Amino acid sequence: MTRITFEEDELIVIAMFEEKTRQETIKGIEEILPYIKGDTELEEVVIGTVEKLKRMPDKEFARLDLEAYQQEPEDE
């Protein structure tokens, strides 16, 4: 089976919406699609990320190291 690889921008999307399971993460990412309509580049990244996540086994998702891609909360 081919290992699924993600581009840096895809890993950032996953890190932003990461949940406990792959399915919950996919659902969270899909929920933003209506809000990014018209931004073709962002839509392509998000849709591509979701498609890759759907093909990825749960065990492989659990091994993703997203720490470097997680954003620090902004100070107000």
Side-chain angles (χ1 to χ4, degrees), residues 7 10 23 34 36-37 43 45 53 59 70-71 74:
E7 301 294 325
E10 294 171 327
Q23 291 83 4
I36 61 171
K37 288 284 185 214
E43 271 186 294
V45 171
L53 284 171
K59 286 183 178 183
Q70 293 170 339
Q71 310 257 331
E74 292 183 19

Side-chain angles (χ1 to χ4, degrees), residues 4 6 9 13-14 30 32 39 41 48 57 59-60 69 71:
I4 295 174
F6 293 95
D9 51 356
V13 170
I14 296 168
E30 287 178 330
I32 68 162
D39 187 336
E41 187 176 331
K59 286 183 178 183
E60 191 174 332
Y69 302 99
Q71 310 257 331

Side-chain angles (χ1 to χ4, degrees), residues 13-73:
V13 170
I14 296 168
M16 288 174 62
F17 295 94
E18 181 182 23
E19 295 291 338
K20 293 182 181 178
T21 68
R22 181 178 58 88
Q23 291 83 4
E24 290 173 348
T25 301
I26 291 168
K27 183 179 178 202
I29 295 171
E30 287 178 330
E31 288 176 356
I32 68 162
L33 286 171
Y35 302 101
I36 61 171
K37 288 284 185 214
D39 187 336
T40 308
E41 187 176 331
L42 184 55
E43 271 186 294
E44 286 178 12
V45 171
V46 170
I47 291 169
T49 302
V50 168
E51 292 305 314
K52 287 181 180 181
L53 284 171
K54 286 180 177 179
R55 294 191 321 261
M56 172 182 260
D58 289 330
K59 286 183 178 183
E60 191 174 332
F61 175 78
R63 289 193 304 259
L64 284 177
D65 182 8
L66 300 170
E67 187 174 339
Y69 302 99
Q70 293 170 339
Q71 310 257 331
E72 293 293 324

